[in-house]
Amino acid sequence: MRRSFAVRAGALLAGVLLSGAFTVLAASTAPAAYAADGDKGFTIEDPRITESSGLAASRQHPGVYWTHNDSDDGPYLYAVDSATGKTVARLTLTGVGTPRDVEAISIGPDNEIWVGDIGDNLGGTWQYVWIYRLPEPAKLVDQTVKATQYVVKYSDGARDAESLLVHPKTGRVYIIDKKEDGGHLYEGPANLSASGANIFKPVAAVDLWATDAAFSPDGAQLAVRGYFGGISYAWNGGKIKREGRLDVPLQRQGESVSYSADGTKIMYGSEGSGSSVVAEDAPEGAGSGAKSPSGKGSSSASGEGDGSSATGSVKFGALAVAAVCVAVFGLRRLLRRN
C-alpha cells in the first residue's frame, strides 16, 4: 500500500508540474549542447555507468575524470577520457569488503584516489561507513588494484553523506553530511587508522543540502553543490567562509562536482545513462596559479539560489522542473528503501 500510494503521488505531482514547466522552457530557451572536448563538458558514453555519483579530475592523466556508480555496482572505478566521453580504464578494488553505498571520490596528494562509501540508504542508521584509499595507476588499463579500507564513525551519531574531500596539500580527509536544512563539514583525524574506527567531528556549518563537494587544486577554495544550486567557500585553514553562489546547471539529478585539473572550471555531473558533465567557469583564484577569465560567484549571502543570469521566465521553468526532479528523486529513494 505504501509503495502504490507513493507511485500515484509521484506520478500526479510530476504530471502537474511538467505540463507547465516544459511549456515555459520550450518557449524561452533551447537545450544546451556540450561538446565532448574535455573541460568544455562531455557525455559519459559507457553503458555500465548508469548512476555516476562522484567525479574527480586526475592530475596524473590530463583530461581524465574518475567516476563510479552509486550503491551496489561493485568495487569498480571508471577512468573517463573527457575528450571522447569513453572509459579508458576500469579498476577493480581488492582488500575491501562489499561496497554498500559509494557516493564520492577525491584525489589527494601523491595521486592517491579516495573513495567514500559514505551514503546511508537507511536514513542515517548505519553505525559506521567506509573510506577506501588506493594509488592511482600510472598506466590506464583495466586492472585490479589493492585498496586500504578505513572505518568511519561520527562523533555525534550516524548520518547520511555524499561528499568526501581530501585536501590537496595536507591530505586531511573531510566529509559533508547531507541534510535538507543544511549540514556540517566533518574533519577526520590527521592520520587515518586502518585498524580501528576513525572519528569524524563537525567543524563548520554548510548552508546547503549537499550532494557533493570538491577542493580547488590549490586547496584555497571549496565548492559545494546541491541538486539545484551551489556555494563557493574560502577554505581559510578549515574555518570556511562563504564567498558566493555557484552557477550550477539544471540536471536531472545533480550528484557530483569536481574542479578541472587546472582549476579554471568546475565540472558538474549527474546520474543516469549517458549523463552529461557540464563545465562552468570557476570563481577567480580557484586554480593552481591560473584564473578563469570570467569566473563567477555572487556575493549574496541569502539562500542557495541557482546562480544563473537567466531571465525570470527561464528561472520559473527551471524551478518547476526542479520540483519534478525532487518528486521523482524522492520516489526513487522511497522505492529503494522498500
Side-chain angles (χ1 to χ4, degrees), residues 234-255:
W235 180 240
N236 195 29
K239 298 178 180 179
I240 59 175
K241 180 179 179 181
R242 179 169 177 157
E243 292 188 323
R245 293 174 294 181
L246 295 172
D247 288 338
V248 177
L250 181 65
Q251 296 173 303
R252 54 187 165 187
Q253 186 174 322
E255 286 283 338

Side-chain angles (χ1 to χ4, degrees), residues 188-267:
N191 296 293
L192 299 188
S193 170
S195 61
N198 297 275
I199 308 302
F200 278 58
K201 301 177 181 179
V203 293
V206 174
D207 306 322
L208 200 67
W209 190 16
T211 61
D212 201 9
F215 280 116
S216 59
D218 61 6
Q221 290 183 306
L222 171 65
V224 184
R225 78 159 298 172
Y227 291 115
F228 316 114
I231 300 174
S232 175
Y233 290 93
W235 180 240
N236 195 29
K239 298 178 180 179
I240 59 175
K241 180 179 179 181
R242 179 169 177 157
E243 292 188 323
R245 293 174 294 181
L246 295 172
D247 288 338
V248 177
L250 181 65
Q251 296 173 303
R252 54 187 165 187
Q253 186 174 322
E255 286 283 338
S256 58
V257 67
S258 173
Y259 276 88
S260 59
D262 65 1
T264 61
K265 299 288 184 180
I266 297 182
M267 314 295 285

Side-chain angles (χ1 to χ4, degrees), residues 164-186:
L164 174 77
L165 309 102
V166 181
H167 196 275
K169 302 299 183 182
T170 68
R172 195 139 190 176
V173 183
Y174 299 84
I175 293 173
I176 299 175
D177 64 342
K178 182 183 179 184
K179 301 184 71 174
E180 292 183 45
D181 56 353
H184 284 82
L185 175 74
Y186 284 78

Side-chain angles (χ1 to χ4, degrees), residues 112-135:
E112 289 188 313
I113 301 175
W114 294 77
V115 181
D117 192 353
I118 55 176
D120 189 342
N121 284 330
L122 297 180
T125 59
W126 282 333
Q127 293 184 357
Y128 59 87
V129 291
W130 296 312
I131 292 175
Y132 313 129
R133 177 178 60 87
L134 62 146

Side-chain angles (χ1 to χ4, degrees), residues 58-83:
S58 172
R59 302 185 190 107
Q60 185 173 201
H61 304 287
V64 167
Y65 286 82
W66 290 97
T67 189
H68 55 81
N69 281 314
D70 190 358
S71 299
D72 56 359
D73 174 54
Y76 305 119
L77 302 179
Y78 301 85
V80 179
D81 180 359
S82 62

